[in-house]
Amino acid sequence: MGHDPKVLHASGTGALTRRVYIADDHEGYRSGVARLVAEHPALEVVGQAADGEQALAGIVECQPDVALLDVRMPGMNGIEVCRRLQAEGTAPNVRIVLITGTPDPVLSTQAAEAGAVALLGKETPPNTIAAQLLAAAEGRVGWSVE
Amino acid sequence: MSDAPGDVAGALLEALLPGSGIGVAVHDEHLRVLVISPSLAELSGTRPGEQVGRRLTEVLPGEVGEVAEASLRAVAASRRPLLRLEPAVEAGRERGWLIHVYPLEYGGRELVAVIALDVTESRRAHEHLQQTRERLDTAQRMAHVGSWTWDVTGDRWHWSEELFRIAGLSPAARPPDFRSLLGAIPPEHRGAFRDVTSRALRDGRPYEIRFPVLLPDGGRRILRGRGVPVRGDGGAIERVHGFAQDVTELARAESHQRAATALGRLALSGVTLEVLMGEAADAVASELGFDFVAVVAPVEDGAAFEVRALSSGGTPFAGRSGVQIDANSLTAEVLRTGETLIVPDWDREHRLPRASMADTLGIRSSAAVIIGTREAPLAVLSGHSAAPGRVGAEDAAFMATVANVIASASRRLKSEAEVAAGAEARGRLVALALDAEDRARRGISEALHDGPLQDLLALGHDIERLRPAGEGDEAHLTRVRDGLASAVRQIRDVMLDLHPVQLQVGGLQSALQAICAQQAAAAGYACAVEIEPAAAGRRDELVMSLARELLRNAGKHSRGGEVHVRVALEDGALRLDVIDDGVGIPPDRLGEALGEGHIGLASSRERAEAIGGSFRVGPRDDELPGTQAVAILP
């Protein structure tokens, strides 16, 4: 688990790709998302993590364009990772998209307050997730809940 | 003496027939009978003719004649009159004669005359009166009641003998006047006595008053007096009749009873045993006029004793609790026997060894009673006086009453402590059981979240990657997607019921909102959640559990349109309100529901009380229609 700092910043076609970091403690879900990101022509996975602490360190190191963080993870949860990044300013250009298996309005509010640009439910279709990540990476998303 | 006067006298005397009640006789210088009336002859049991010319020793039998003639001789010799009461028996009835023997000068002769008055009836009346007086006096003495009459106009008093005794005066003394009477009353009580008396003299109504009097020997008694004014012919009040009763003992008993009752009330008020013992020591000292009262308890299995309480003031031990005292003491003896002990005078005491403190404190008399029983002694209550003979059985009886109050309080406090310990243990068990249940629910919920839910969600993504290969595949895929979505929803509902995972991430607000939304959707009401920020994070798990139960109840029973959940801090404790605008709950319904086996609310109450909190369900505090459940959680 972790990230590969040597991954390219551009796709093989020469078009600019957006660098995505994925953190989720559920291996099956995380790998599924990683696959769909990898298959997306404008996105690439630059790192993965299975808990909050690992994600915080990886994001700081990889400086991705966008990070998809599961809300509920062992140790530090996704919202807390988001707060820490905002507070510490160690990844000023990364945009955070949170994802949860149990969405609710209060969580949405807390996600927004923590500095995330979107909160997605895990049942969100893969294409929509990919689109949200791309939009977030390109700064086209204000705040959205899916 | 010539015959003519004698004849006249004789004729006169004849008129004094037996039964007239008057007898007359005249004796000559030789004490012979000159003349005698039939009535007097009757007294001596002879006829008049038989006595004339003869001396009494000749006509009266034996000693009677000797005594009678001795009287005549004494008067003849001394020429001084003699008055004597002569009993006689007539037809079996005792009679009384008042006999007056006196010298009679007649015609130059020195005669002796006798006049006898039959005083049988007056004597009987006198005796009856005397007996009545004696009986009255006895009754008054027994009842400690004295009677009096006050001649108001002359300020003259008549007192019965018992009243003299009550006042500590000799019956031979003159009764005091009103001013002297006032002087015997302590100054602080004189005004009341004067007022009551003045009012009675004004309105003429009977009156009653209780007042203390100071005795000449320095003692003090409590009297209860009653007076009845009597008006004269002119309508003015001339006299007052009344009685005065010595109620010193009664007043003392009443005071003892009041003191014992006050101690009993104090015992029930929840004071500690130490406080109660201190108050008891003071009460005994005050009521009985003791110089020193102690409560001493055995320690170290009776090997030593410890002072638990002392009466206040004036003793060398005052304020020094916990002083070790001699085992060789009155206290040790009472503990050993369980009996009440009285030592009237330590200087004459031979049964018990003289206690060292008796010398230290100058104690001369003591009494001690056990608090508790010989088998299970709690302490010994002892009272002491510097005066010999001052402590008696009545004092010991009051001390025993006080000891019973302390013993009862001790038993009650012990029972309460046991009940409290039981309740605390039960509360701990309930809390443990509820914690275990919460842990189990949380574990299952998290397992569902981390396992099946995530698997299904990941599976959903995989399904999205599938492409229909043939006709009908799209419909199949749709059914699979729908089935997956349904399964996800069901798992989420179960998780919310068990334990909202939102609590870990989103906190109380998030979790309560989620449950509220779930229950509101199921029951069809609108739900609002209001949480004071400082109230979150204190007892989130318990608040969630109670709120879930109450929201479910609101959905089942309230038939209301809105439910309001509020969590706030109140006096340092957490307060959860769940308020609906439904039909309300009848006053007895909660009890009935519990009786019918609906344990949800009972469980909620148990959970609150297990941590020292409270729980109630009833009408809304704002008196609007609906129900309000309130849980206070410290």
Side-chain angles (χ1 to χ4, degrees), chain B residues 231-419:
Chain B
R231 295 183 187 278
D233 294 339
I237 292 168
E238 294 181 346
R239 291 182 310 284
V240 182
H241 298 295
F243 70 83
Q245 184 179 14
D246 180 2
V247 293
T248 308
E249 294 301 321
L250 179 64
R252 184 177 295 142
E254 288 173 350
S255 178
H256 288 358
Q257 189 175 10
R258 279 196 299 274
T261 303
L263 280 177
R265 285 207 188 96
L266 184 67
L268 290 174
S269 72
V271 297
T272 64
L273 211 51
E274 303 304 314
V275 170
L276 182 64
M277 285 177 172
E279 292 294 325
D282 278 343
V284 170
S286 167
E287 284 293 311
L288 304 181
F290 286 171
D291 296 307
F292 173 44
V293 176
V295 179
V296 178
V299 293
E300 299 169 11
D301 295 332
F305 301 100
E306 186 180 26
V307 177
R308 297 281 297 275
L310 291 166
S311 54
S312 357
T315 72
F317 288 162
R320 289 177 56 198
S321 279
V323 178
Q324 296 284 330
I325 63 165
D326 295 339
N328 188 18
S329 65
L330 180 68
T331 297
E333 185 67 9
V334 170
L335 281 171
R336 193 180 66 74
T337 63
E339 302 284 337
T340 294
L341 287 181
I342 299 171
V343 179
D345 188 350
W346 280 106
D347 287 355
R348 297 163 186 256
E349 175 60 33
H350 304 298
R351 293 171 302 160
L352 295 171
R354 186 179 178 84
S356 60
M357 73 171 183
D359 289 328
T360 310
L361 303 178
I363 289 169
R364 287 292 300 274
S365 54
S366 303
V369 299
I370 195 162
I371 301 174
T373 62
R374 181 189 173 195
E375 292 72 27
L378 179 65
V380 169
L381 173 66
S382 62
H384 312 272
S385 172
R390 174 65 187 77
V391 178
E394 289 183 9
D395 300 320
F398 175 65
M399 291 168 66
T401 302
V402 171
N404 279 335
V405 171
I406 297 173
S408 299
S410 170
R411 285 193 297 272
R412 189 177 59 75
L413 288 171
K414 190 176 174 187
S415 299
E416 285 178 355
E418 288 171 356
V419 169

Side-chain angles (χ1 to χ4, degrees), chain B residues 21-98:
Chain B
I22 301 174
V24 178
V26 178
H27 296 259
D28 63 13
E29 294 84 344
H30 304 290
L31 305 182
R32 288 190 296 258
V33 176
L34 281 175
V35 291
I36 184 168
S37 70
S39 53
L40 188 56
E42 177 201 38
L43 173 61
S44 52
T46 61
R47 287 184 303 207
E50 293 174 358
Q51 292 195 27
V52 174
R54 301 171 72 183
R55 291 166 50 175
L56 292 181
T57 50
E58 296 168 359
V59 295
L60 296 179
E63 190 181 350
V64 176
E66 295 288 345
V67 171
E69 190 167 300
S71 299
L72 298 177
R73 190 178 301 113
V75 171
S78 67
R79 307 312 291 169
R80 296 169 64 88
L82 182 69
L83 192 67
R84 53 190 280 254
L85 190 64
E86 187 72 22
V89 176
E90 179 188 289
R93 287 180 62 203
E94 186 179 321
R95 298 182 66 84
W97 289 86
L98 185 65

Side-chain angles (χ1 to χ4, degrees), chain B residues 420-439:
Chain B
E424 191 182 337
R426 179 175 165 280
R428 278 199 304 271
L429 286 174
V430 170
L432 285 173
L434 296 176
D435 282 350
E437 183 190 333
D438 279 343
R439 278 197 303 275

